[in-house]
Amino acid sequence: MKKSPYGKLKRVILASMILVPLATLILILGIGYYYFTTSLESSTIATVKRIVADHRHMIDSFLSNRKANLEFILHSYSFKDLADPEMLHKTLKRLQKESDAFVDIGLFNEEGMHVNYQGPYRLVGKDYAEARWFKEVMTQGAYISDVFLGYRRIPHFIIALRKTENGQIWVLRATIDTQMFNQLVKSVRIGKTGEAYLLNAEGVFQTERRSGGNLMEKDPEKLKTPSPQTGIKAFIAENIKGEPYLYATTWLREKDWLLVVRQEKADAFRFLHTAAYIIVIVALLGGGAIVGLALFLTNRIIRRMERMDAEREQLGGQLIRASRLAELGEMATGFAHEINNPLQVMKSEQALMDSILLDVKDKGTLKPSDDLKELEDSIQQIGLQTGRCAEITQSILQFGRQSEPVLQDVDLRTFIPEVTKMVEKKADVHGISLKQRISDDLPPVHGDRGQLQQVLLNLFNNAMDAILMRHGAEGGELVVEAGAGEESKAYIRVKDNGIGINAGDLKRIFTPFFTTKPPGKGTGLGLSVCYGIVDKMGGTMTVVSEKGEGSIFTITLPAARSGRSE
Amino acid sequence: MEEMKMMLVDDEERFLSTTEKLLVRKGYDVLTAASGAEALEKLRTHNVHVVILDVKMPGMDGIETLRAIKKEYPLVEVIMLTGHATVESAVEGLKAGATDYLMKPTEVEDLVRKAEEAFAKREVLEGKIRVARTRAMGKSPREILEETGGR
């Protein structure tokens, strides 16, 4: 198929049909996505902030409650009371009733000497004068320590309170169960990766971190910390491995510990991803639908336009052919008419010569001889050939002008060989063997000799053209068969072993103006005129053909009613 | 019986001369004219029975000539000689009073045959006229005299 002349138009239609809806779709999806993600992000961050605030509040109240428990003891008892191991034991039990977090309790004098102790360790008599917490509590009055190892070599932290009683200074200290405290801090769970932990001012873990980070180790990540008064800071930062996390940090009120709540960004914003997936899917499906529809519609439009073009072209072609044919007819008619006059003269001359010769012979002035015979024959030939010319002009005139056919009975048994003779030379030149099988029972038909000749010549010439296309100069075979068919009909069959006709062309072969020959080589009228002639004579014309094998044209004509004489 | 006298009218000189010779050889009395005007001119001075008239001629064409002949000499038989393309004019000619037509190129035999037929027809017609005149003679010889004189 030739290239469509609408290539550019097709691209324009296709582009606009795709781009306009696609741009709209993408714009809508984009805006939707933007607002959705923004609101989702801010709500996620708000949630994290709220969680960190709640958690801080809980941890703060835990610490302040423990401090209050201790303060109560401090105010209720004197140093002497507490120096009694029995009393201290009771006190510890009461404390532990308040909270399981209390591991032990100890009483210290002004010098940092462990005066009394109740708990799982043996710490009485140990000197804490140089311990950091002791110095802190002596200066501040109340102190919550970072997690440290101490004499027991186990991570723990303590709450210590100082009391001045009648000039005597003493310190009450309680250890908090780190295990329990750990659980309390860690208890936050958000999504899959959400976790909470505490860091001291130096960035050392005060509680374990679920995703790795042991007690008392330094947090390898440098975190942004809010100033103590600004409260909560939420941000996104990468961990040591480079994975982005959503962080929320805040300082505790009771102790300079930093509460960190963090969650993997992907986890925190997983709904965002879901939204993104949905939008991508919608965009792909919608885009696909748009592109598909655009392709489909564009193809239809272009195909329709091409078809209209083809039809218009075909119509134009037919008109041109028809007018060309009309011109040709006019020209041929004029030509034939002009030829007729000289032919008339020639005919007269020949008749005169004939007449003179006859006279001279009759008078005896010319003796019969071989030369004379030759002369007579020659003159005869001139008459015959002028007759042939006359017939040609007649047939041209017939072509140019629908004249009344001269109807007569035609004996096909002699007529067919006559016509065959006309193409004998052509067949011979092209190495085509021309065979005739004419049955004796072939009845005469009633029709116009010129028209019948036209039909047969047309079939012969077509057959020879087909043979030449397949065989070239040898191997061609053209067979003419004729005989009596059914219902007193005569049939004439023209068989060739040429290239044959394909099925598509076969359907249109008798259509006027249909030709497979290159433009200008055939009018496409030959077979349709033949068909018309045969049809007018009350006959039929059919064709069977196999591409590459050859064709068979069969004409049936009604036998003449007047019998078989001519 | 009177001999048939023919006149050939055609613009093709050689056709005229050759056909004339042929017809003369066959023993016919033949006149020729190269145009319609000449034909009418010769009819004035010669007693022609059958005119073979070409349809297509320069100047005064066949049909015009035919009409003129029929107007002046209604008894003259005219045979139209037509080319194939002028069958319509042949029909027109027949309607305008031509006896018959011949298709070009024509055989001399056909020409002679049709001319003879036309002549025979004229003979019959003249016979009838003679009978009519003979009957009329008894009534008014003067009229008859006048009529014959007028011819």
Side-chain angles (χ1 to χ4, degrees), chain A residues 505-516:
Chain A
D505 292 343
L506 210 54
K507 277 184 220 152
R508 304 165 59 196
I509 194 150
F510 297 122
T511 314
F513 303 110
F514 175 75
T515 179
T516 56

Side-chain angles (χ1 to χ4, degrees), chain A residues 333 337-338 340-345 347-349 351-352 355-356 359-360 390 393-394 397-398 401 403, chain B residues 10 12 14-15 18-19 21-22 25-26 54 56 81-86 88 103-108:
Chain A
T333 311
H337 192 70
E338 287 310 312
N340 265 346
N341 280 328
L343 275 181
Q344 178 69 79
V345 178
K347 217 162 207 176
S348 308
E349 300 292 338
L352 181 61
S355 163
I356 292 170
D359 271 10
V360 175
T393 54
Q394 296 259 329
L397 288 165
Q398 234 167 33
R401 206 169 265 257
S403 67
Chain B
D10 197 314
E12 187 81 43
R14 182 71 199 194
F15 172 67
T18 308
T19 314
K21 278 185 217 158
L22 251 172
R25 290 185 80 86
K26 286 184 188 285
D54 187 20
K56 208 182 156 203
L81 191 56
T82 80
H84 203 283
T86 50
E88 284 87 349
M103 199 89 87
K104 264 188 179 182
T106 182
E107 303 281 348
V108 178

Side-chain angles (χ1 to χ4, degrees), chain A residues 213-287:
Chain A
N214 291 323
L215 224 53
M216 298 187 66
E217 278 173 6
K218 183 131 171 97
D219 185 1
E221 284 133 29
K222 278 225 164 3
L223 294 183
K224 288 180 221 164
T225 54
S227 63
Q229 297 317 312
T230 50
I232 298 162
K233 195 175 185 77
F235 55 93
I236 285 164
E238 289 182 354
N239 71 354
I240 202 82
K241 289 178 198 152
E243 293 156 352
Y245 272 82
L246 171 63
Y247 283 91
T249 57
T250 185
W251 291 106
L252 295 186
R253 298 233 160 87
E254 293 294 332
K255 168 74 186 159
D256 55 345
W257 283 346
L258 186 72
L259 173 63
V260 181
V261 171
R262 71 170 198 180
Q263 189 180 10
E264 267 181 27
K265 194 184 166 199
D267 186 30
F269 295 118
R270 64 189 181 282
F271 291 115
L272 232 77
H273 289 278
T274 315
Y277 285 140
I278 288 170
I279 278 172
V280 166
I281 286 167
V282 168
L284 284 179
L285 287 180

Side-chain angles (χ1 to χ4, degrees), chain B residues 11-72:
Chain B
D11 57 325
E12 187 81 43
E13 294 278 0
R14 182 71 199 194
F15 172 67
L16 284 182
S17 59
T18 308
T19 314
E20 184 184 12
K21 278 185 217 158
L22 251 172
L23 293 174
V24 168
R25 290 185 80 86
K26 286 184 188 285
Y28 292 104
D29 192 357
V30 181
L31 275 174
T32 62
S35 69
E38 194 187 334
L40 287 171
E41 185 71 43
K42 287 199 172 163
L43 278 175
R44 208 161 292 152
T45 49
H46 298 79
N47 185 19
V48 174
H49 303 109
V50 179
V51 174
I52 318 278
L53 182 59
D54 187 20
V55 170
K56 208 182 156 203
M57 283 187 298
M60 197 179 189
D61 78 8
I63 298 295
E64 277 179 73
T65 314
L66 170 69
R67 292 215 170 97
I69 292 172
K70 276 289 163 185
K71 196 175 165 197
E72 286 184 49

Side-chain angles (χ1 to χ4, degrees), chain A residues 515-530:
Chain A
T515 179
T516 56
K517 291 176 181 170
K521 292 275 178 189
T523 57
L525 270 179
L527 279 175
S528 64
V529 168
C530 291

